[in-house]
């Protein structure tokens, strides 16, 4: 996905570092992502969600709050309210570019921030929270014995989720005074609450309270055994998939027309895990699947192998071709099943050790069909376009971008 690095002024005038992830194709909507206040815009969950949404035609802005990551300023001088103001500044910047956000996504305290801001942005159609606290003051119980030091000296270093961060007195006082219940009830946007039951930083009871306070439409999806920072790639991938699918229902995206000359669009394959063989497979802007290799071959077995997809193409095309013919003839064919297996075998009569690819189809036809009709449908199976492509030589033209 094309990514633009940019800066914009935050609540205090400091430049905030941001990434704007754009779709490869038409831009259909914009999302604004708010990360947890111990993280940065580049956490795995944010990157993964941005990628999935960009593939759906949704641009995603993710940025570092004041004093975090590559942004200017001191986080110790910020408050929860100032973080909300940074989010509002990001939204206004996008609006000036003609791409006002219609989707807000917030992780942890960033989730609380988007809940607070949502009622004030009229263009927002959907809001997603990940591990968000219902009461922002909830985070202060993670400060352990630092509260006395903060009260006495004005700030202290605390450890949250394994990361040190300096918390100021104004921050503690501000989160203690913040109540989200009214903002949640006031919001007219659809809400998706995502939370891990075993979250050790923000308990799952927070998700319950957020969900109860919100009006419909609202949804809850568990993140199972994910940690608070969603550091596991599989958990981040799952969250991204759910958000991408759920959000399109409420954003009402207009699907772009397929490119002229390629009515079935483009199949794009993108590496999903450089440590193994997992691949994201996209069919145009509407379909997604995973390709992988079995565990025995160094993969994670989360999707069909490349040859599995090839066999699937043959099986699907065979079934479609048979159905089309039987429908045209008006025959009572009630069900079709095609089992396809792939193997390598020695080429017959070649006089060499050369091997060729062999696909075996086992076709099951159900319905009130006589032997002549069944024999004819078996002949029709061989006229499947994919069958013909596999039997004749093909040419692959490769270009390097």
């Amino acid at each position: 996905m094309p990514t633009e690095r940019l800066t914009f002024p935050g609540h205090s005038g400091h430049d905030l570092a941001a990434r704007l992830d754009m779709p490869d194709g038409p831009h259909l909507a914009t999302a604004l992502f708010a990360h947890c206040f111990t993280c940065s815009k580049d956490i795995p969950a944010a990157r993964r969600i941005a990628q999935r949404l960009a593939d759906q035609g949704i641009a995603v802005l993710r940025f570092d709050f004041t004093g975090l990551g590559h942004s200017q300023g001191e986080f110790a001088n910020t408050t929860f309210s100032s973080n909300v103001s940074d989010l509002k500044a990001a939204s206004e910047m996008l609006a000036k570019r003609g791409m006002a956000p219609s989707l807000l996504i917030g992780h942890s305290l960033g989730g609380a921030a988007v809940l607070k801001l949502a009622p004030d942005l009229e263009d927002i159609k959907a809001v997603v929270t990940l591990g968000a606290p219902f009461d922002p003051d909830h985070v202060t119980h993670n400060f352990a014995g630092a509260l006395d030091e903060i009260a006495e000296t004005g700030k202290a270093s605390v450890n949250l989720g394994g990361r040190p961060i300096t918390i100021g007195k104004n921050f503690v006082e501000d989160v203690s005074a913040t109540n989200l219940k009214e903002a949640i009830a006031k919001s007219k946007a659809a809400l998706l609450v995502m939370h891990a039951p075993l979250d050790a930083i923000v308990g799952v009871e927070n998700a319950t309270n957020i969900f109860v306070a919100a009006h419909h439409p609202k949804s809850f999806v568990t993140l199972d055994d994910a940690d608070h920072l969603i550091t596991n790639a599989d958990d981040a991938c799952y969250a991204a998939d759910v958000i991408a699918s759920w959000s399109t229902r409420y954003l009402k995206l207009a699907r772009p027309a397929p490119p002229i000359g390629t009515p079935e669009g483009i199949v794009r394959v993108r590496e999903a895990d450089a440590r193994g063989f997992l691949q994201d497979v996209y069919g145009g802007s509407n379909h997604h699947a995973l390709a992988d290799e079995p565990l025995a071959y160094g993969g994670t077995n989360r999707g069909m192998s490349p040859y599995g997809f090839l066999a699937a193409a043959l099986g699907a095309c065979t079934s479609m071709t048979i159905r089309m013919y039987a429908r045209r003839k008006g025959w009572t064919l009630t069900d079709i099943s095609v089992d396809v297996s792939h193997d390598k075998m020695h080429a017959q009569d070649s006089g060499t050790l050369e091997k060729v690819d062999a696909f075996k189809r086992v076709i099951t036809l159900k319905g009130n069909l006589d032997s002549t009709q069944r024999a004819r449908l078996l002949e029709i199976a061989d006229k499947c376009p994919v069958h013909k492509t596999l039997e004749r030589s093909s040419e692959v033209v490769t270009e390097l971008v």
Side-chain angles (χ1 to χ4, degrees):
M1 57 188 176
T3 299
E4 178 185 352
R5 297 174 183 266
L6 54 92
T7 60
F8 64 92
H11 75 280
S12 60
H14 289 109
D15 282 342
L16 306 186
R19 290 179 184 268
L20 180 59
D21 300 307
M22 294 294 296
D24 286 332
H27 170 219
L28 306 179
T30 305
L32 179 56
F33 188 100
H35 59 74
C36 67
F37 74 134
T38 63
C39 311
S40 77
K41 63 185 179 301
D42 298 315
I43 60 173
R47 292 199 310 269
R48 194 68 181 172
I49 290 168
Q51 177 181 307
R52 279 285 189 271
L53 292 177
D55 288 326
Q56 297 275 359
I58 303 172
V60 181
L61 181 79
R62 42 195 172 106
F63 69 96
D64 294 329
F65 287 107
T66 299
L68 295 178
H70 297 96
S71 290
Q72 296 177 349
E74 294 292 332
F75 185 79
N77 297 328
T78 67
T79 64
F80 175 75
S81 296
S82 72
N83 284 341
V84 175
S85 296
D86 280 347
L87 266 175
K88 188 174 183 180
S91 177
E92 292 172 348
M93 180 272 293
L94 288 169
K96 289 179 181 178
R97 294 174 63 125
M99 47 192 307
S102 55
L103 171 64
L104 293 177
I105 306 170
H107 172 225
S108 192
L109 202 63
V114 300
L115 290 171
K116 182 70 173 178
L117 180 63
D120 298 330
L121 301 180
E122 62 180 24
D123 292 320
I124 297 302
K125 306 300 182 189
V127 176
V128 179
T129 64
L130 300 127
F134 173 68
D135 181 359
D137 186 43
H138 174 86
V139 301
T140 60
H141 84 273
N142 294 291
F143 298 169
L147 287 174
D148 290 339
E149 182 180 350
I150 293 172
E152 183 178 342
T153 67
K155 62 182 178 180
S157 178
V158 300
N159 190 295
L160 290 177
R163 302 183 181 196
I165 190 167
T166 300
I167 300 296
K169 183 178 181 179
N170 289 339
F171 185 96
V172 174
E173 293 177 347
D174 188 47
V175 294
S176 298
T178 300
N179 189 312
L180 294 181
K181 187 175 182 179
E182 181 179 350
I184 295 171
K186 187 178 176 182
S187 176
K188 297 180 180 179
L191 175 66
L192 171 61
V193 179
M194 305 187 77
H195 213 109
L198 302 180
D199 191 326
I201 305 298
V202 179
V204 72
E205 68 277 4
N206 287 270
T208 302
N209 292 332
I210 291 172
F211 188 83
V212 170
H215 297 296
H216 285 288
K218 55 184 177 180
S219 306
F220 175 79
V221 174
T222 181
L223 292 176
D224 295 330
D225 57 354
D227 61 18
H228 181 67
L229 296 180
I230 319 178
T231 52
N232 184 285
D234 290 344
D235 294 327
C237 179
Y238 173 70
D241 284 341
V242 171
I243 293 171
S245 298
W246 175 87
S247 62
T248 55
R249 180 180 183 89
Y250 299 103
L251 301 185
K252 294 180 170 51
L253 305 182
R255 292 296 175 190
I260 297 175
T262 54
E264 293 183 14
I266 298 295
V267 174
R268 172 166 294 143
V269 179
R270 177 184 288 132
E271 185 176 59
D273 185 359
R275 298 167 298 177
F277 298 111
L278 186 65
Q279 308 291 318
D280 283 310
V281 182
Y282 300 95
S285 60
N286 294 307
H287 306 291
H288 171 254
L290 294 174
D292 205 348
E293 289 286 358
L295 296 173
Y297 292 95
T300 53
N301 201 32
R302 292 179 57 196
M304 288 197 300
S305 70
Y307 275 109
F309 275 96
L310 196 56
L314 177 58
C317 186
T318 299
S319 181
M320 292 175 185
T321 303
I322 291 174
R323 172 55 66 191
M324 183 173 60
Y325 186 85
R327 183 182 296 139
R328 189 167 67 243
K329 289 292 187 178
W331 293 350
T332 54
L333 176 60
T334 59
D335 187 67
I336 307 168
S337 175
V338 183
D339 294 345
V340 182
S341 58
H342 168 260
D343 200 358
K344 295 278 189 179
M345 60 182 295
H346 290 291
Q348 295 182 2
D349 304 322
S350 67
T352 70
L353 295 178
E354 180 184 359
K355 288 187 175 183
V356 297
D357 291 282
F359 290 89
K360 180 181 179 181
R361 284 181 304 189
V362 178
I363 302 174
T364 302
L365 304 176
K366 294 182 179 180
N368 187 19
L369 303 168
D370 59 34
S371 59
T372 301
Q373 290 172 325
R374 290 179 180 275
R376 180 55 180 158
L377 291 176
L378 186 60
E379 293 176 3
I380 291 300
D382 289 341
K383 299 184 182 298
C384 151
V386 173
H387 181 157
K388 292 182 177 181
T389 297
L390 290 173
E391 283 195 325
R392 64 174 176 256
S393 60
S394 300
E395 180 181 0
V396 178
V397 178
T398 303
E399 296 180 359
L400 182 64
V401 178

